[in-house]
Tab-separated table of all heavy atoms in Angstrom:
chain	number	residue	atom	x	y	z
T	3	ALA	N	-6.010	10.486	-11.458
T	3	ALA	CA	-6.544	9.936	-10.212
T	3	ALA	C	-5.518	10.047	-9.088
T	3	ALA	O	-5.847	10.389	-7.944
T	3	ALA	CB	-6.955	8.482	-10.416
T	4	ARG	N	-4.265	9.778	-9.390
T	4	ARG	CA	-3.217	9.853	-8.369
T	4	ARG	C	-2.982	11.293	-7.912
T	4	ARG	O	-2.607	11.528	-6.753
T	4	ARG	CB	-1.925	9.237	-8.916
T	4	ARG	CG	-1.959	7.706	-8.938
T	4	ARG	CD	-0.796	7.141	-9.748
T	4	ARG	NE	0.482	7.555	-9.188
T	4	ARG	CZ	1.192	6.828	-8.308
T	4	ARG	NH1	0.711	5.679	-7.873
T	4	ARG	NH2	2.364	7.243	-7.883
T	5	GLN	N	-3.198	12.246	-8.790
T	5	GLN	CA	-3.076	13.648	-8.381
T	5	GLN	C	-4.119	13.997	-7.324
T	5	GLN	O	-3.822	14.679	-6.330
T	5	GLN	CB	-3.223	14.561	-9.604
T	5	GLN	CG	-2.032	14.539	-10.555
T	5	GLN	CD	-2.322	15.234	-11.870
T	5	GLN	OE1	-3.388	15.845	-12.046
T	5	GLN	NE2	-1.391	15.130	-12.813
T	6	ARG	N	-5.343	13.513	-7.532
T	6	ARG	CA	-6.396	13.750	-6.536
T	6	ARG	C	-6.064	13.029	-5.228
T	6	ARG	O	-6.289	13.556	-4.128
T	6	ARG	CB	-7.749	13.309	-7.076
T	6	ARG	CG	-8.286	14.230	-8.183
T	6	ARG	CD	-9.552	13.700	-8.809
T	6	ARG	NE	-10.186	14.676	-9.673
T	6	ARG	CZ	-9.804	14.952	-10.916
T	6	ARG	NH1	-8.777	14.289	-11.433
T	6	ARG	NH2	-10.431	15.860	-11.637
T	7	LEU	N	-5.528	11.822	-5.348
T	7	LEU	CA	-5.138	11.071	-4.160
T	7	LEU	C	-4.017	11.796	-3.409
T	7	LEU	O	-4.038	11.864	-2.163
T	7	LEU	CB	-4.694	9.663	-4.563
T	7	LEU	CG	-4.162	8.762	-3.452
T	7	LEU	CD1	-5.218	8.551	-2.370
T	7	LEU	CD2	-3.707	7.417	-4.030
T	8	ALA	N	-3.053	12.342	-4.124
T	8	ALA	CA	-1.940	13.054	-3.486
T	8	ALA	C	-2.443	14.260	-2.697
T	8	ALA	O	-1.962	14.537	-1.588
T	8	ALA	CB	-0.921	13.485	-4.544
T	9	ARG	N	-3.418	14.989	-3.244
T	9	ARG	CA	-3.952	16.147	-2.532
T	9	ARG	C	-4.640	15.721	-1.234
T	9	ARG	O	-4.524	16.388	-0.201
T	9	ARG	CB	-4.929	16.922	-3.431
T	9	ARG	CG	-4.229	17.716	-4.528
T	9	ARG	CD	-5.149	18.771	-5.109
T	9	ARG	NE	-6.200	18.197	-5.924
T	9	ARG	CZ	-6.113	17.975	-7.236
T	9	ARG	NH1	-4.993	18.281	-7.881
T	9	ARG	NH2	-7.123	17.474	-7.914
T	10	GLU	N	-5.380	14.599	-1.301
T	10	GLU	CA	-6.048	14.119	-0.094
T	10	GLU	C	-5.038	13.608	0.932
T	10	GLU	O	-5.239	13.753	2.150
T	10	GLU	CB	-7.061	13.031	-0.441
T	10	GLU	CG	-8.247	13.524	-1.254
T	10	GLU	CD	-8.985	14.663	-0.565
T	10	GLU	OE1	-9.112	14.640	0.683
T	10	GLU	OE2	-9.428	15.592	-1.276
T	11	MET	N	-3.944	13.019	0.470
T	11	MET	CA	-2.905	12.566	1.391
T	11	MET	C	-2.217	13.758	2.052
T	11	MET	O	-1.893	13.718	3.253
T	11	MET	CB	-1.892	11.694	0.651
T	11	MET	CG	-2.370	10.277	0.382
T	11	MET	SD	-2.620	9.306	1.908
T	11	MET	CE	-0.915	9.141	2.471
T	12	ASP	N	-1.982	14.818	1.290
T	12	ASP	CA	-1.379	16.028	1.880
T	12	ASP	C	-2.292	16.576	2.980
T	12	ASP	O	-1.817	16.983	4.051
T	12	ASP	CB	-1.162	17.087	0.802
T	12	ASP	CG	-0.039	16.720	-0.161
T	12	ASP	OD1	0.783	15.840	0.186
T	12	ASP	OD2	0.010	17.298	-1.263
T	13	ARG	N	-3.581	16.588	2.715
T	13	ARG	CA	-4.532	17.058	3.720
T	13	ARG	C	-4.494	16.175	4.956
T	13	ARG	O	-4.519	16.665	6.096
T	13	ARG	CB	-5.940	17.074	3.117
T	13	ARG	CG	-7.040	17.431	4.101
T	13	ARG	CD	-8.418	17.337	3.431
T	13	ARG	NE	-9.490	17.604	4.391
T	13	ARG	CZ	-9.987	16.702	5.225
T	13	ARG	NH1	-9.527	15.445	5.195
T	13	ARG	NH2	-10.949	17.029	6.064
T	14	ALA	N	-4.429	14.853	4.762
T	14	ALA	CA	-4.418	13.924	5.889
T	14	ALA	C	-3.156	14.104	6.734
T	14	ALA	O	-3.207	14.045	7.968
T	14	ALA	CB	-4.526	12.493	5.377
T	15	HIS	N	-2.010	14.310	6.076
T	15	HIS	CA	-0.767	14.540	6.827
T	15	HIS	C	-0.871	15.820	7.653
T	15	HIS	O	-0.413	15.863	8.808
T	15	HIS	CB	0.414	14.619	5.867
T	15	HIS	CG	0.896	13.280	5.394
T	15	HIS	ND1	1.426	12.331	6.235
T	15	HIS	CD2	0.916	12.720	4.138
T	15	HIS	CE1	1.766	11.246	5.545
T	15	HIS	NE2	1.467	11.457	4.271
T	16	ALA	N	-1.493	16.856	7.072
T	16	ALA	CA	-1.638	18.122	7.800
T	16	ALA	C	-2.520	17.956	9.030
T	16	ALA	O	-2.315	18.633	10.050
T	16	ALA	CB	-2.223	19.188	6.879
T	17	LEU	N	-3.489	17.027	8.957
T	17	LEU	CA	-4.395	16.780	10.079
T	17	LEU	C	-3.929	15.628	10.961
T	17	LEU	O	-4.628	15.250	11.904
T	17	LEU	CB	-5.803	16.471	9.549
T	17	LEU	CG	-6.503	17.598	8.779
T	17	LEU	CD1	-7.807	17.094	8.176
T	17	LEU	CD2	-6.759	18.795	9.696
T	18	SER	N	-2.760	15.046	10.633
T	18	SER	CA	-2.189	13.917	11.389
T	18	SER	C	-3.124	12.704	11.417
T	18	SER	O	-3.252	12.012	12.432
T	18	SER	CB	-1.859	14.350	12.825
T	18	SER	OG	-0.912	15.399	12.817
T	19	ILE	N	-3.797	12.433	10.288
T	19	ILE	CA	-4.680	11.264	10.195
T	19	ILE	C	-4.310	10.387	9.005
T	19	ILE	O	-5.140	9.644	8.484
T	19	ILE	CB	-6.163	11.686	10.094
T	19	ILE	CG1	-6.388	12.576	8.856
T	19	ILE	CG2	-6.640	12.361	11.360
T	19	ILE	CD1	-7.851	12.826	8.551
T	20	ALA	N	-3.059	10.465	8.578
T	20	ALA	CA	-2.640	9.723	7.394
T	20	ALA	C	-2.458	8.239	7.714
T	20	ALA	O	-2.163	7.867	8.851
T	20	ALA	CB	-1.337	10.297	6.841
T	21	PRO	N	-2.637	7.375	6.720
T	21	PRO	CA	-2.339	5.952	6.915
T	21	PRO	C	-0.859	5.742	7.207
T	21	PRO	O	-0.013	6.562	6.862
T	21	PRO	CB	-2.724	5.326	5.562
T	21	PRO	CG	-3.624	6.312	4.899
T	21	PRO	CD	-3.174	7.651	5.368
T	22	ALA	N	-0.556	4.614	7.848
T	22	ALA	CA	0.845	4.292	8.112
T	22	ALA	C	1.601	4.066	6.819
T	22	ALA	O	2.795	4.378	6.721
T	22	ALA	CB	0.929	3.055	9.006
T	23	SER	N	0.924	3.513	5.825
T	23	SER	CA	1.527	3.330	4.504
T	23	SER	C	0.415	3.326	3.458
T	23	SER	O	-0.741	2.998	3.774
T	23	SER	CB	2.323	2.030	4.417
T	23	SER	OG	1.465	0.908	4.545
T	24	LEU	N	0.744	3.692	2.252
T	24	LEU	CA	-0.217	3.751	1.150
T	24	LEU	C	0.350	3.004	-0.043
T	24	LEU	O	1.481	3.265	-0.474
T	24	LEU	CB	-0.509	5.201	0.761
T	24	LEU	CG	-1.364	5.408	-0.502
T	24	LEU	CD1	-2.782	4.891	-0.275
T	24	LEU	CD2	-1.389	6.872	-0.904
T	25	LYS	N	-0.435	2.072	-0.558
T	25	LYS	CA	-0.067	1.351	-1.771
T	25	LYS	C	-1.181	1.552	-2.793
T	25	LYS	O	-2.356	1.383	-2.467
T	25	LYS	CB	0.144	-0.138	-1.500
T	25	LYS	CG	1.345	-0.426	-0.611
T	25	LYS	CD	1.564	-1.915	-0.444
T	25	LYS	CE	2.798	-2.192	0.409
T	25	LYS	NZ	3.029	-3.650	0.598
T	26	THR	N	-0.801	1.897	-4.013
T	26	THR	CA	-1.790	2.124	-5.064
T	26	THR	C	-1.581	1.133	-6.203
T	26	THR	O	-0.441	0.783	-6.542
T	26	THR	CB	-1.711	3.558	-5.618
T	26	THR	OG1	-0.379	3.809	-6.092
T	26	THR	CG2	-2.047	4.564	-4.547
T	27	GLY	N	-2.692	0.713	-6.778
T	27	GLY	CA	-2.632	-0.227	-7.889
T	27	GLY	C	-3.756	0.033	-8.870
T	27	GLY	O	-4.581	0.932	-8.677
T	28	VAL	N	-3.800	-0.770	-9.919
T	28	VAL	CA	-4.838	-0.640	-10.935
T	28	VAL	C	-5.416	-2.008	-11.260
T	28	VAL	O	-4.760	-3.032	-11.106
T	28	VAL	CB	-4.314	0.004	-12.241
T	28	VAL	CG1	-3.790	1.391	-11.994
T	28	VAL	CG2	-3.249	-0.866	-12.881
T	29	MET	N	-6.653	-1.968	-11.725
T	29	MET	CA	-7.272	-3.149	-12.306
T	29	MET	C	-6.941	-3.163	-13.791
T	29	MET	O	-7.170	-2.163	-14.486
T	29	MET	CB	-8.790	-3.088	-12.145
T	29	MET	CG	-9.286	-3.262	-10.726
T	29	MET	SD	-9.436	-4.983	-10.239
T	29	MET	CE	-10.911	-5.475	-11.123
T	30	ILE	N	-6.395	-4.262	-14.257
T	30	ILE	CA	-6.185	-4.410	-15.700
T	30	ILE	C	-7.415	-5.097	-16.267
T	30	ILE	O	-7.642	-6.287	-16.074
T	30	ILE	CB	-4.904	-5.202	-16.005
T	30	ILE	CG1	-3.688	-4.389	-15.580
T	30	ILE	CG2	-4.838	-5.558	-17.480
T	30	ILE	CD1	-2.370	-4.979	-16.012
């Protein structure tokens, strides 16, 4: 899942629409 998220973040950075910060977590 994080690999897919990383690809989308790379795309967002290329388009200058990335979040100011990203925090990821899981439901246990």
Side-chain angles (χ1 to χ4, degrees):
R4 284 168 60 94
Q5 288 169 6
R6 289 174 169 79
L7 176 60
R9 286 197 288 270
E10 293 304 323
M11 283 295 292
D12 289 342
R13 175 183 177 277
H15 281 297
L17 296 173
S18 299
I19 59 170
S23 65
L24 172 66
K25 293 184 178 180
T26 56
V28 299
M29 290 276 285
I30 293 188

